[in-house]
Amino acid sequence: MSVPDSTSSPAIAPREYEVYSGDDLGTNVLEVSMGPQHPSTHGVFRMNVTLDGETVVKLKPVFGYLHRNHEKLGEGMTYLGSMPYTDRLDYFCSMTNNWAYALTAEKLAGIAVPERAEYIRVIMAELTRLQNHASLMGFLTNDLGASGTPLLYAMREREHILDLFEWVSGARMMCNYMRFGGVRNDLPEGWLEQCKKVVDAFPAFLDEFDALLTGNEIIQARCQNVGILPRDLAINASITGPCLRASGVNYDIRKVDKYGIYDRFNFQVPLGEVGDCYDRFMLRLLEMRESVKILKQALSQIPASGPTLDAKSRNFRPKPGEAYGRIESPKGELGFYLISDGGPKPYRYRIRPPSFINLTVLEDMCLGQKIADTVIILGSIDIVLGEVDR
Amino acid sequence: MTNPPTPTVPIPGVHEGLRSELQKAGIFVVSTEFLYNWGRKNSIWPLGFGIACCAIEMICTAASRFDLARFGAEVFRPSPRQADLMIVAGTVTKKMAPQVVRLYNQMPEPKYVIAMGACAISGGPFKQGYNVLKGVDRYIPVDVHIPGCPPRPEALLHALITLQRKIETQRTLGSAERRNNPAYSDDSRDFPVPQYGEHDLVPAYNRDVWKARPVTRES
């Protein structure tokens, strides 16, 4: 397509403007409060943006509109009682939240996990990653103005994975499936076969999504070189997860800690170069392809039978001590910190939420950008307010 | 194609037999009120207002599989000025409660509220939290409650159908006694927006819509 050159067009004669040269002409900065009710703040998040024209000169996030006293409630109930609450932290990824909490409690009490349960955990975590990243890409394109269509594609795939979760745990979103020392119940009959079908069909969706979005001119124009997160800043601000790897830092807790049985799988960690929104967008797509690889290996290696839960979860009283367990959740490093005084309730129950810590660099990424781009930058960080405010 | 409206309420002065004969010829004699409600209930515009976990199920309801558009309620409006229905989808904290009431005040009449999920109904699992509102019906009148944590998309569809039934029966014309509906009364419904007080939100609840249950102690 050729664009007509407006400067050489003879139809419009150049108009003479008188340039005002006085120095009393200036723009005032404008403070805009975006949220907590705003269609693109991904929940009840509020930004106080100071604008010079359309350029962001200052951005102050306001948190706490979804502060549900998670940590305080956790100190008032038994260890197992907090498990359903972890579902509601990052409500896209209940399985990984469960795993992070179970991992910490296992570390605190020194419980071993049976092999079949470890495989089930990996399968659940990677399925969670698939549906989280797919939905995120849908929401991000929604923020870009692709009103809903890619989101509908993503939600269509997400339903297949939610069906699997529902089959095994009884709930679509709030699975409450992991227990200290394993998983709550064994996989139902036929589950693995259905899971294989879903996993085998997933790359076709990724190809479709890739063809639909990656080469799209609007996505490239709006995402490339927007919201650059420099490598040093990402490390200094303790950013984790896809945001960190998009800035080119090779740090994936699945590789670093090798928690669970992640050392048995062959997968790569995709890395970005620039650290802009496009890198973060593409990184999710590549991570989904790696997750499919892990899932295929796990589904072929999983032992046909065996115990899935050895330890008892009720009347769980770990010895006095403390433990910090962390996993690579789809958003980043999700950590739980527990202090036990020997009683049935934790003395201290603390969460290290990846969304919250990744959000702290929002102002640095948005300064100098246009107001419309802050929406995309926020979307590319991938926050869930349940985890940010807790 | 959906069925044409089948008027069941007899209209004074219109012969039922003649009405039935006309209906066979495709001519429907209905009251303006019926037609108005029929149009209204099939084009509810919800406010795109997600608060917490239930918002994801609300999005799922609007998305591919469950398709809220079948019931004419897929037009999620970002502005309360254009919305008919507020789906309170999630935990309302004390910091968020003023905004919820303000958004409700900004919606034009007639307006409806669905309290989606345990948190919006009563505080749900987070009820013991110091910062959680124990039910959004303390501040705004709720038309339909959906239990669940979170409710399934089918439950939200059911709530919507329940709301449609409610809209169907509402009287919109005539005297204030006949209408008997705050949405069609002549007074405006501007509810007081709660603010943080010394200990808790002030007022603790809206006296017009919620009453504390009397405490009875057995001696």
Side-chain angles (χ1 to χ4, degrees), chain A residues 175-197:
Chain A
C175 299
N176 185 18
Y177 183 56
M178 313 269 172
R179 288 290 178 269
F180 309 145
V183 294
R184 195 178 71 204
N185 50 289
D186 203 353
L187 299 174
E189 208 176 314
W191 193 91
L192 281 172
E193 288 71 34
Q194 181 62 27
C195 183
K196 272 184 192 127
K197 274 185 207 161

PDB file of all heavy atoms in Angstrom, chain A residues 175-197:
ATOM      1  N   CYS A 175      -8.806 -24.595  42.981  1.00  0.00           N
ATOM      2  CA  CYS A 175      -8.651 -26.056  42.955  1.00  0.00           C
ATOM      3  C   CYS A 175      -8.398 -26.650  44.324  1.00  0.00           C
ATOM      4  O   CYS A 175      -8.929 -27.702  44.629  1.00  0.00           O
ATOM      5  CB  CYS A 175      -7.515 -26.418  42.016  1.00  0.00           C
ATOM      6  SG  CYS A 175      -7.829 -25.866  40.359  1.00  0.00           S
ATOM      7  N   ASN A 176      -7.592 -25.993  45.161  1.00  0.00           N
ATOM      8  CA  ASN A 176      -7.299 -26.512  46.507  1.00  0.00           C
ATOM      9  C   ASN A 176      -6.869 -27.975  46.408  1.00  0.00           C
ATOM     10  O   ASN A 176      -7.414 -28.841  47.087  1.00  0.00           O
ATOM     11  CB  ASN A 176      -8.548 -26.345  47.379  1.00  0.00           C
ATOM     12  CG  ASN A 176      -8.311 -26.748  48.807  1.00  0.00           C
ATOM     13  OD1 ASN A 176      -7.173 -26.845  49.233  1.00  0.00           O
ATOM     14  ND2 ASN A 176      -9.386 -26.996  49.531  1.00  0.00           N
ATOM     15  N   TYR A 177      -5.920 -28.242  45.545  1.00  0.00           N
ATOM     16  CA  TYR A 177      -5.626 -29.616  45.169  1.00  0.00           C
ATOM     17  C   TYR A 177      -4.390 -30.174  45.862  1.00  0.00           C
ATOM     18  O   TYR A 177      -4.342 -31.358  46.168  1.00  0.00           O
ATOM     19  CB  TYR A 177      -5.461 -29.680  43.646  1.00  0.00           C
ATOM     20  CG  TYR A 177      -5.216 -31.058  43.101  1.00  0.00           C
ATOM     21  CD1 TYR A 177      -6.100 -32.086  43.360  1.00  0.00           C
ATOM     22  CD2 TYR A 177      -4.102 -31.326  42.322  1.00  0.00           C
ATOM     23  CE1 TYR A 177      -5.879 -33.336  42.862  1.00  0.00           C
ATOM     24  CE2 TYR A 177      -3.884 -32.578  41.819  1.00  0.00           C
ATOM     25  CZ  TYR A 177      -4.766 -33.584  42.092  1.00  0.00           C
ATOM     26  OH  TYR A 177      -4.547 -34.835  41.599  1.00  0.00           O
ATOM     27  N   MET A 178      -3.387 -29.350  46.120  1.00  0.00           N
ATOM     28  CA  MET A 178      -2.147 -29.875  46.710  1.00  0.00           C
ATOM     29  C   MET A 178      -2.305 -30.024  48.219  1.00  0.00           C
ATOM     30  O   MET A 178      -3.057 -29.301  48.851  1.00  0.00           O
ATOM     31  CB  MET A 178      -0.988 -28.925  46.413  1.00  0.00           C
ATOM     32  CG  MET A 178      -0.906 -28.475  44.985  1.00  0.00           C
ATOM     33  SD  MET A 178       0.099 -29.509  43.980  1.00  0.00           S
ATOM     34  CE  MET A 178      -0.222 -28.832  42.364  1.00  0.00           C
ATOM     35  N   ARG A 179      -1.585 -30.978  48.750  1.00  0.00           N
ATOM     36  CA  ARG A 179      -1.533 -31.169  50.202  1.00  0.00           C
ATOM     37  C   ARG A 179      -0.076 -31.261  50.617  1.00  0.00           C
ATOM     38  O   ARG A 179       0.797 -31.473  49.772  1.00  0.00           O
ATOM     39  CB  ARG A 179      -2.271 -32.447  50.604  1.00  0.00           C
ATOM     40  CG  ARG A 179      -3.770 -32.359  50.496  1.00  0.00           C
ATOM     41  CD  ARG A 179      -4.323 -31.443  51.570  1.00  0.00           C
ATOM     42  NE  ARG A 179      -5.764 -31.298  51.449  1.00  0.00           N
ATOM     43  CZ  ARG A 179      -6.379 -30.357  50.744  1.00  0.00           C
ATOM     44  NH1 ARG A 179      -5.669 -29.470  50.085  1.00  0.00           N
ATOM     45  NH2 ARG A 179      -7.683 -30.278  50.712  1.00  0.00           N
ATOM     46  N   PHE A 180       0.179 -31.133  51.932  1.00  0.00           N
ATOM     47  CA  PHE A 180       1.558 -31.257  52.399  1.00  0.00           C
ATOM     48  C   PHE A 180       1.977 -32.706  52.213  1.00  0.00           C
ATOM     49  O   PHE A 180       1.435 -33.600  52.853  1.00  0.00           O
ATOM     50  CB  PHE A 180       1.667 -30.858  53.871  1.00  0.00           C
ATOM     51  CG  PHE A 180       1.043 -29.522  54.169  1.00  0.00           C
ATOM     52  CD1 PHE A 180       0.400 -29.301  55.366  1.00  0.00           C
ATOM     53  CD2 PHE A 180       1.100 -28.494  53.242  1.00  0.00           C
ATOM     54  CE1 PHE A 180      -0.175 -28.088  55.634  1.00  0.00           C
ATOM     55  CE2 PHE A 180       0.530 -27.270  53.501  1.00  0.00           C
ATOM     56  CZ  PHE A 180      -0.116 -27.068  54.701  1.00  0.00           C
ATOM     57  N   GLY A 181       2.924 -32.937  51.329  1.00  0.00           N
ATOM     58  CA  GLY A 181       3.377 -34.299  51.077  1.00  0.00           C
ATOM     59  C   GLY A 181       2.654 -34.972  49.939  1.00  0.00           C
ATOM     60  O   GLY A 181       2.567 -36.190  49.902  1.00  0.00           O
ATOM     61  N   GLY A 182       2.137 -34.207  49.008  1.00  0.00           N
ATOM     62  CA  GLY A 182       1.511 -34.846  47.845  1.00  0.00           C
ATOM     63  C   GLY A 182       0.360 -34.037  47.300  1.00  0.00           C
ATOM     64  O   GLY A 182       0.337 -32.814  47.407  1.00  0.00           O
ATOM     65  N   VAL A 183      -0.570 -34.736  46.705  1.00  0.00           N
ATOM     66  CA  VAL A 183      -1.780 -34.093  46.197  1.00  0.00           C
ATOM     67  C   VAL A 183      -2.994 -34.768  46.834  1.00  0.00           C
ATOM     68  O   VAL A 183      -2.897 -35.872  47.356  1.00  0.00           O
ATOM     69  CB  VAL A 183      -1.875 -34.167  44.656  1.00  0.00           C
ATOM     70  CG1 VAL A 183      -0.779 -33.359  44.022  1.00  0.00           C
ATOM     71  CG2 VAL A 183      -1.837 -35.591  44.179  1.00  0.00           C
ATOM     72  N   ARG A 184      -4.136 -34.077  46.767  1.00  0.00           N
ATOM     73  CA  ARG A 184      -5.286 -34.494  47.565  1.00  0.00           C
ATOM     74  C   ARG A 184      -5.815 -35.853  47.141  1.00  0.00           C
ATOM     75  O   ARG A 184      -6.105 -36.704  47.954  1.00  0.00           O
ATOM     76  CB  ARG A 184      -6.381 -33.436  47.422  1.00  0.00           C
ATOM     77  CG  ARG A 184      -7.462 -33.530  48.427  1.00  0.00           C
ATOM     78  CD  ARG A 184      -8.449 -32.408  48.218  1.00  0.00           C
ATOM     79  NE  ARG A 184      -9.222 -32.603  47.006  1.00  0.00           N
ATOM     80  CZ  ARG A 184      -9.809 -31.615  46.330  1.00  0.00           C
ATOM     81  NH1 ARG A 184      -9.692 -30.392  46.732  1.00  0.00           N
ATOM     82  NH2 ARG A 184     -10.509 -31.866  45.259  1.00  0.00           N
ATOM     83  N   ASN A 185      -5.976 -36.049  45.851  1.00  0.00           N
ATOM     84  CA  ASN A 185      -6.492 -37.337  45.393  1.00  0.00           C
ATOM     85  C   ASN A 185      -5.783 -37.710  44.105  1.00  0.00           C
ATOM     86  O   ASN A 185      -5.214 -36.852  43.416  1.00  0.00           O
ATOM     87  CB  ASN A 185      -8.016 -37.277  45.172  1.00  0.00           C
ATOM     88  CG  ASN A 185      -8.422 -36.097  44.337  1.00  0.00           C
ATOM     89  OD1 ASN A 185      -8.363 -34.962  44.780  1.00  0.00           O
ATOM     90  ND2 ASN A 185      -8.806 -36.355  43.104  1.00  0.00           N
ATOM     91  N   ASP A 186      -5.838 -38.982  43.785  1.00  0.00           N
ATOM     92  CA  ASP A 186      -5.190 -39.448  42.572  1.00  0.00           C
ATOM     93  C   ASP A 186      -5.978 -38.960  41.357  1.00  0.00           C
ATOM     94  O   ASP A 186      -7.130 -38.533  41.464  1.00  0.00           O
ATOM     95  CB  ASP A 186      -5.123 -40.983  42.592  1.00  0.00           C
ATOM     96  CG  ASP A 186      -4.014 -41.484  41.686  1.00  0.00           C
ATOM     97  OD1 ASP A 186      -3.421 -40.650  40.980  1.00  0.00           O
ATOM     98  OD2 ASP A 186      -3.763 -42.689  41.683  1.00  0.00           O
ATOM     99  N   LEU A 187      -5.342 -39.054  40.211  1.00  0.00           N
ATOM    100  CA  LEU A 187      -6.013 -38.619  38.988  1.00  0.00           C
ATOM    101  C   LEU A 187      -7.165 -39.569  38.674  1.00  0.00           C
ATOM    102  O   LEU A 187      -7.028 -40.783  38.818  1.00  0.00           O
ATOM    103  CB  LEU A 187      -5.021 -38.632  37.824  1.00  0.00           C
ATOM    104  CG  LEU A 187      -3.825 -37.711  37.979  1.00  0.00           C
ATOM    105  CD1 LEU A 187      -2.859 -37.935  36.840  1.00  0.00           C
ATOM    106  CD2 LEU A 187      -4.254 -36.267  38.010  1.00  0.00           C
ATOM    107  N   PRO A 188      -8.303 -39.054  38.260  1.00  0.00           N
ATOM    108  CA  PRO A 188      -9.398 -39.953  37.895  1.00  0.00           C
ATOM    109  C   PRO A 188      -9.082 -40.738  36.628  1.00  0.00           C
ATOM    110  O   PRO A 188      -8.173 -40.377  35.867  1.00  0.00           O
ATOM    111  CB  PRO A 188     -10.577 -39.013  37.667  1.00  0.00           C
ATOM    112  CG  PRO A 188     -10.079 -37.651  37.791  1.00  0.00           C
ATOM    113  CD  PRO A 188      -8.637 -37.662  38.110  1.00  0.00           C
ATOM    114  N   GLU A 189      -9.836 -41.783  36.416  1.00  0.00           N
ATOM    115  CA  GLU A 189      -9.597 -42.639  35.260  1.00  0.00           C
ATOM    116  C   GLU A 189      -9.860 -41.859  33.969  1.00  0.00           C
ATOM    117  O   GLU A 189     -10.869 -41.149  33.858  1.00  0.00           O
ATOM    118  CB  GLU A 189     -10.537 -43.846  35.324  1.00  0.00           C
ATOM    119  CG  GLU A 189      -9.987 -45.068  34.643  1.00  0.00           C
ATOM    120  CD  GLU A 189     -10.917 -46.249  34.822  1.00  0.00           C
ATOM    121  OE1 GLU A 189     -11.370 -46.464  35.959  1.00  0.00           O
ATOM    122  OE2 GLU A 189     -11.200 -46.915  33.826  1.00  0.00           O
ATOM    123  N   GLY A 190      -8.975 -41.972  33.039  1.00  0.00           N
ATOM    124  CA  GLY A 190      -9.153 -41.291  31.753  1.00  0.00           C
ATOM    125  C   GLY A 190      -8.639 -39.863  31.726  1.00  0.00           C
ATOM    126  O   GLY A 190      -8.650 -39.227  30.678  1.00  0.00           O
ATOM    127  N   TRP A 191      -8.186 -39.368  32.891  1.00  0.00           N
ATOM    128  CA  TRP A 191      -7.743 -37.974  32.952  1.00  0.00           C
ATOM    129  C   TRP A 191      -6.487 -37.755  32.116  1.00  0.00           C
ATOM    130  O   TRP A 191      -6.383 -36.791  31.377  1.00  0.00           O
ATOM    131  CB  TRP A 191      -7.481 -37.590  34.407  1.00  0.00           C
ATOM    132  CG  TRP A 191      -7.328 -36.114  34.620  1.00  0.00           C
ATOM    133  CD1 TRP A 191      -8.316 -35.239  34.921  1.00  0.00           C
ATOM    134  CD2 TRP A 191      -6.117 -35.344  34.544  1.00  0.00           C
ATOM    135  NE1 TRP A 191      -7.794 -33.976  35.034  1.00  0.00           N
ATOM    136  CE2 TRP A 191      -6.451 -34.006  34.804  1.00  0.00           C
ATOM    137  CE3 TRP A 191      -4.787 -35.654  34.267  1.00  0.00           C
ATOM    138  CZ2 TRP A 191      -5.520 -32.987  34.815  1.00  0.00           C
ATOM    139  CZ3 TRP A 191      -3.855 -34.627  34.264  1.00  0.00           C
ATOM    140  CH2 TRP A 191      -4.224 -33.312  34.543  1.00  0.00           C
ATOM    141  N   LEU A 192      -5.537 -38.686  32.268  1.00  0.00           N
ATOM    142  CA  LEU A 192      -4.267 -38.502  31.565  1.00  0.00           C
ATOM    143  C   LEU A 192      -4.462 -38.521  30.053  1.00  0.00           C
ATOM    144  O   LEU A 192      -3.830 -37.748  29.327  1.00  0.00           O
ATOM    145  CB  LEU A 192      -3.281 -39.591  31.987  1.00  0.00           C
ATOM    146  CG  LEU A 192      -2.600 -39.358  33.337  1.00  0.00           C
ATOM    147  CD1 LEU A 192      -1.817 -40.570  33.745  1.00  0.00           C
ATOM    148  CD2 LEU A 192      -1.698 -38.143  33.281  1.00  0.00           C
ATOM    149  N   GLU A 193      -5.377 -39.377  29.585  1.00  0.00           N
ATOM    150  CA  GLU A 193      -5.629 -39.454  28.138  1.00  0.00           C
ATOM    151  C   GLU A 193      -6.207 -38.133  27.639  1.00  0.00           C
ATOM    152  O   GLU A 193      -5.789 -37.604  26.602  1.00  0.00           O
ATOM    153  CB  GLU A 193      -6.593 -40.599  27.819  1.00  0.00           C
ATOM    154  CG  GLU A 193      -6.024 -41.999  27.953  1.00  0.00           C
ATOM    155  CD  GLU A 193      -5.775 -42.407  29.391  1.00  0.00           C
ATOM    156  OE1 GLU A 193      -6.568 -41.982  30.264  1.00  0.00           O
ATOM    157  OE2 GLU A 193      -4.792 -43.118  29.656  1.00  0.00           O
ATOM    158  N   GLN A 194      -7.152 -37.591  28.418  1.00  0.00           N
ATOM    159  CA  GLN A 194      -7.750 -36.314  28.017  1.00  0.00           C
ATOM    160  C   GLN A 194      -6.711 -35.199  28.067  1.00  0.00           C
ATOM    161  O   GLN A 194      -6.667 -34.341  27.190  1.00  0.00           O
ATOM    162  CB  GLN A 194      -8.934 -36.007  28.949  1.00  0.00           C
ATOM    163  CG  GLN A 194      -9.667 -34.711  28.649  1.00  0.00           C
ATOM    164  CD  GLN A 194     -10.295 -34.691  27.280  1.00  0.00           C
ATOM    165  OE1 GLN A 194     -10.632 -35.734  26.734  1.00  0.00           O
ATOM    166  NE2 GLN A 194     -10.433 -33.502  26.721  1.00  0.00           N
ATOM    167  N   CYS A 195      -5.855 -35.265  29.078  1.00  0.00           N
ATOM    168  CA  CYS A 195      -4.803 -34.252  29.209  1.00  0.00           C
ATOM    169  C   CYS A 195      -3.876 -34.320  28.004  1.00  0.00           C
ATOM    170  O   CYS A 195      -3.472 -33.289  27.468  1.00  0.00           O
ATOM    171  CB  CYS A 195      -4.042 -34.468  30.508  1.00  0.00           C
ATOM    172  SG  CYS A 195      -2.793 -33.240  30.823  1.00  0.00           S
ATOM    173  N   LYS A 196      -3.550 -35.540  27.588  1.00  0.00           N
ATOM    174  CA  LYS A 196      -2.681 -35.688  26.412  1.00  0.00           C
ATOM    175  C   LYS A 196      -3.315 -35.046  25.193  1.00  0.00           C
ATOM    176  O   LYS A 196      -2.649 -34.373  24.404  1.00  0.00           O
ATOM    177  CB  LYS A 196      -2.429 -37.174  26.141  1.00  0.00           C
ATOM    178  CG  LYS A 196      -1.236 -37.701  26.912  1.00  0.00           C
ATOM    179  CD  LYS A 196      -0.954 -39.146  26.557  1.00  0.00           C
ATOM    180  CE  LYS A 196       0.030 -39.724  27.553  1.00  0.00           C
ATOM    181  NZ  LYS A 196      -0.386 -40.951  28.178  1.00  0.00           N
ATOM    182  N   LYS A 197      -4.622 -35.260  25.048  1.00  0.00           N
ATOM    183  CA  LYS A 197      -5.324 -34.666  23.896  1.00  0.00           C
ATOM    184  C   LYS A 197      -5.236 -33.141  23.937  1.00  0.00           C
ATOM    185  O   LYS A 197      -4.957 -32.497  22.920  1.00  0.00           O
ATOM    186  CB  LYS A 197      -6.803 -35.082  23.932  1.00  0.00           C
ATOM    187  CG  LYS A 197      -7.077 -36.405  23.265  1.00  0.00           C
ATOM    188  CD  LYS A 197      -8.575 -36.651  23.243  1.00  0.00           C
ATOM    189  CE  LYS A 197      -8.865 -38.134  23.229  1.00  0.00           C
ATOM    190  NZ  LYS A 197     -10.220 -38.442  23.648  1.00  0.00           N
TER     191      LYS A 197
END
